[in-house]
Amino acid sequence: MEFVVSLFLLCCVFVIVVKCDSGPLIDVVVDRYDIPSVCPREVGTEDFVRYHFNGTFFEGGKKFDSSHDRGNAFISQVGLGRMITGMDRGIMGMCVNERRKITIPPHLAYGSIGTGGVIPPDAVLVFDILLLDIWSSDDKVQISTISKPEKCKRTVEASDYVRYHYNGSLLSGTYIDTSFSSNKTYDTYVGKGDLIQGMEEGLLGMCVGERRIVVVPPFLGYGEKGYGTKIPPQATLVFEVLLVDLFNTNDDMEVVITSLAKNCTRKTVKGDYIRYHYNGTFLDGSAFDSSYKRNSTYNTYIGMGYVILGMDRALQGLCIGERRRVVVPPHLAYGEQGVDDLIPSSAVLVFDIDIIDFHNPKDPIEIKVTHKPKECNMTSEGDDMIQYRYNCSLMDGTLLYSSDHYDSAPITTLGANKVILGLDDGLKGMCVGEKREVIVPPHLGHGENGASGVPKSAVLFFELELLSLSKGVPDGYMFVWLGDSPEPLFPAMDLNGDHEVPLEEFSAFIMIQVSELKGRLRPGMDASVIIKDMFDNQDRDKDGKIVLDELKLKAEEDSDKARHEEL
């Protein structure tokens, strides 16, 4: 009897085991058929989840529900009885983007009653799940730095205005939006409620040029409402952020001297006209303009509103040859409007400037004598003919022209408009052998238009040496008396006393006056040509000789002409 009972019990255990293989499920069966290679977080108790699913019956595989068909993911909290027990268990430990097939027996689903006429009693359910999101009410903004500049003088604080680029996605990697595609930054204040709270926190402490990943939980993002068609309700957001610009409305311009001038005898003031080179960049170092690329300085008046306010201020107190870095906040630059496609709205501008020269429209020439001979009996003046050596440079030392480049030094007549006015003035009052340095402002040089090889509005620096000097005569004259002329004149001209003066005698008379320093011929011209012209002017009847009556008649005509001009 005992043997029979034991055999019966053994047979019963065998049957149970066999039935366990093909009979009703005891617990949830999970098939993790697609697991992502990286899983930074797994679903835990009390976590919130957002997932898509297809629900089918185990028997026959008929679909009874699908979040895909409704177009909205399912949102719930795990482990607190808000889902059927089987789902609570089956979803534990899942990763975002993981796919699972969860088979749930009736006693862990809707039991022997079923629900709503959709799920019959004692139905085994199969859920094919794609996990899209995980978060917890204790989550905070997660920040990870991708890259950061070595030097960071300033970081984002509340009330700052920032410009940044971003790529936005959901936690599953689904694309939301990007600023890069439009090549326009997102511009906003920080800490004033203009951003979602998570981004407000994520931007704090950033440096210009820094890249961050900012993960924002739903309750610090767009919450239960979501945003538009791309951000669903209760979505964790992932932003890759590149900070491009940063300023505060209380900022003033920032000026850093990068190179001092060697000799500075004068600094720029309001009303001066300045020429400078610059490189213009944004705060992140990207360039927007450069005078060097155009090979032309930027020329403007200082303090008169011709340039942005920040630059107008920064250009004051500068020396020729000085270099500065000027950081200009947008409210002292182009503000919210920007400049077409060149300068974005609310952009901080950085200018690296190199001062080439400056002047004031009222400036005279500046003369510095560097060498003067011990003996100086005669100095240059208007109408004199001179020969001189020169070097002409810009104020930064760039050589433009030099007399050494030619076979002989130039010869000119002072006051005859043969050279620029400033040089003409700079050559006056010199002794032969004297050397000078002369600074010529553009209004006494080549002006606003410049000249061949000379930039517009350039201040010129001349090194001068006077090589020779021939005293001249006033414009319009070929010969002048250096004192009173002989009185009476005709007897003095009539060297042989025969009452007539031919060309040879007239020429001899004039040359005597010149040799005795009583008269002067126009320098630079053939003396015989001048004398012949003078003789022809006096020989009224063109008979080859001057007589007393011709000289008197010419003198009377000259007197009448002078009286007429006075009237």
Side-chain angles (χ1 to χ4, degrees):
M1 184 65 180
E2 290 179 2
F3 173 78
V4 172
V5 171
S6 297
L7 180 60
F8 176 77
L9 289 174
L10 286 172
C11 288
C12 286
V13 170
F14 176 77
V15 169
I16 290 172
V17 170
V18 170
K19 285 189 175 181
C20 284
D21 264 348
S22 58
L25 292 175
I26 297 174
D27 204 349
V28 174
V29 175
V30 176
D31 177 11
R32 303 180 70 181
Y33 67 89
D34 189 359
I35 303 173
S37 58
V38 178
C39 181
R41 178 175 183 174
E42 296 180 348
V43 176
T45 302
E46 298 188 13
D47 279 345
F48 289 88
V49 292
R50 187 166 57 84
Y51 60 90
H52 268 305
F53 71 91
N54 283 318
T56 59
F57 296 116
F58 183 77
E59 295 291 339
K62 182 182 178 181
K63 182 166 64 176
F64 62 84
D65 195 8
S66 173
S67 64
H68 295 282
D69 294 346
R70 292 196 301 272
N72 292 314
F74 188 79
I75 301 170
S76 188
Q77 193 173 15
V78 178
L80 298 180
R82 296 180 180 179
M83 297 186 291
I84 58 176
T85 304
M87 185 62 77
D88 253 349
R89 295 181 185 179
I91 207 167
M92 292 289 288
M94 272 194 90
C95 306
V96 170
N97 287 328
E98 180 180 343
R99 291 178 180 272
R100 285 186 179 185
K101 185 173 287 187
I102 303 173
T103 305
I104 305 174
H107 64 281
L108 297 178
Y110 295 99
S112 59
I113 299 175
T115 181
V118 176
I119 298 176
D122 297 318
V124 177
L125 307 180
V126 179
F127 291 91
D128 197 332
I129 292 179
L130 169 61
L131 186 63
L132 302 175
D133 209 336
I134 313 172
W135 75 96
S136 166
S137 58
D138 295 329
D139 285 352
K140 298 182 177 1
V141 174
Q142 299 175 45
I143 297 172
S144 56
T145 300
I146 301 173
S147 63
K148 190 173 183 178
E150 293 182 4
K151 295 181 180 179
C152 180
K153 295 182 179 179
R154 177 177 182 176
T155 60
V156 177
E157 298 178 2
S159 82
D160 283 344
Y161 194 91
V162 295
R163 295 193 309 117
Y164 63 91
H165 274 301
Y166 69 91
N167 288 317
S169 63
L170 302 178
L171 194 60
S172 62
T174 302
Y175 165 83
I176 299 174
D177 193 16
T178 178
S179 63
F180 290 98
S181 61
S182 62
N183 199 30
K184 290 185 178 180
T185 56
Y186 192 86
D187 309 340
T188 186
Y189 286 98
V190 176
K192 293 189 176 183
D194 296 332
L195 291 165
I196 57 174
Q197 186 178 341
M199 185 59 83
E200 297 263 20
E201 295 179 17
L203 290 169
L204 292 174
M206 282 194 81
C207 305
V208 170
E210 181 178 345
R211 286 181 180 269
R212 282 184 176 181
I213 298 293
V214 180
V215 181
V216 180
F219 53 88
L220 296 178
Y222 292 98
E224 296 179 357
K225 295 182 179 180
Y227 187 82
T229 59
K230 292 188 176 181
I231 301 178
Q234 301 291 39
T236 300
L237 305 177
V238 180
F239 294 97
E240 180 185 350
V241 179
L242 169 61
L243 188 63
V244 172
D245 209 341
L246 158 67
F247 75 94
N248 194 284
T249 52
N250 295 322
D251 287 350
D252 199 354
M253 63 176 187
E254 178 185 343
V255 177
V256 177
I257 297 174
T258 55
S259 179
L260 287 169
K262 292 182 180 179
N263 297 306
C264 184
T265 57
R266 174 180 173 181
K267 294 186 176 183
T268 54
V269 296
K270 183 178 179 180
D272 283 346
Y273 192 87
I274 190 169
R275 295 193 316 121
Y276 63 95
H277 270 304
Y278 70 89
N279 283 320
T281 62
F282 299 117
L283 210 54
D284 65 351
S286 56
F288 64 84
D289 195 15
S290 173
S291 64
Y292 293 99
K293 289 185 178 180
R294 295 190 297 273
N295 196 29
S296 176
T297 56
Y298 191 85
N299 309 334
T300 187
Y301 285 97
I302 299 172
M304 299 176 70
Y306 291 107
V307 293
I308 56 175
L309 181 58
M311 185 60 77
D312 231 3
R313 295 177 183 175
L315 290 174
Q316 299 183 41
L318 285 160
C319 302
I320 291 175
E322 184 174 336
R323 295 184 177 184
R324 287 185 175 185
R325 168 164 285 190
V326 182
V327 181
V328 185
H331 49 278
L332 298 177
Y334 295 101
E336 296 181 1
Q337 300 301 317
V339 178
D340 299 327
D341 295 329
L342 181 65
I343 297 176
S345 169
S346 302
V348 178
L349 306 180
V350 181
F351 294 94
D352 289 295
I353 61 174
D354 181 3
I355 309 306
I356 303 302
D357 66 41
F358 66 89
H359 72 280
N360 193 282
K362 298 178 181 179
D363 284 348
I365 62 170
E366 296 180 34
I367 298 175
K368 178 183 178 181
V369 177
T370 58
H371 173 73
K372 194 161 189 175
K374 292 182 179 180
E375 295 185 6
C376 181
N377 300 319
M378 184 170 57
T379 59
S380 55
E381 58 186 348
D383 301 318
D384 288 350
M385 188 176 72
I386 63 169
Q387 186 174 32
Y388 63 100
R389 177 185 171 275
Y390 71 92
N391 289 320
C392 176
S393 307
L394 299 178
M395 295 303 290
D396 65 355
T398 302
L399 181 65
L400 300 178
Y401 301 109
S402 173
S403 58
D404 295 339
H405 296 162
Y406 302 92
D407 294 335
S408 61
I411 297 173
T412 191
T413 300
L414 295 178
N417 295 321
K418 301 295 184 182
V419 296
I420 58 173
L421 183 58
L423 177 58
D424 198 272
D425 290 343
L427 287 166
K428 291 177 180 177
M430 292 186 75
C431 306
V432 172
E434 182 177 336
K435 296 180 180 181
R436 287 182 174 181
E437 292 177 353
V438 178
I439 297 175
V440 179
H443 51 277
L444 298 175
H446 292 286
E448 295 181 359
N449 295 323
S452 177
V454 180
K456 298 177 180 179
S457 301
V459 178
L460 302 178
F461 178 79
F462 286 93
E463 297 173 285
L464 304 175
E465 179 183 3
L466 188 61
L467 302 178
S468 66
L469 166 63
S470 297
K471 301 303 291 183
V473 299
D475 190 30
Y477 290 83
M478 295 291 106
F479 174 85
V480 294
W481 294 101
L482 299 180
D484 293 333
S485 60
E487 188 62 36
L489 179 57
F490 187 78
M493 292 170 53
D494 186 12
L495 298 178
N496 59 9
D498 63 356
H499 304 292
E500 57 183 29
V501 181
L503 176 59
E504 294 78 7
E505 191 174 10
F506 181 78
S507 178
F509 168 74
I510 293 296
M511 294 308 296
I512 290 171
Q513 309 310 308
V514 172
S515 65
E516 293 178 355
L517 302 180
K518 295 178 180 179
R520 182 183 301 150
L521 290 167
R522 174 169 291 279
M525 295 184 67
D526 189 333
S528 63
V529 174
I530 295 175
I531 293 172
K532 177 65 167 59
D533 185 62
M534 293 170 64
F535 178 83
D536 290 343
N537 193 39
Q538 296 288 342
D539 182 15
R540 305 305 296 273
D541 60 7
K542 306 303 179 186
D543 62 354
K545 57 183 179 293
I546 301 171
V547 297
L548 179 60
D549 289 341
E550 287 178 316
L551 190 63
K552 287 181 178 179
L553 181 61
K554 183 66 172 66
E556 290 172 358
E557 288 179 352
D558 291 344
S559 178
D560 290 343
K561 182 179 179 181
R563 283 196 300 271
H564 178 73
E565 289 176 351
E566 290 177 0
L567 293 174

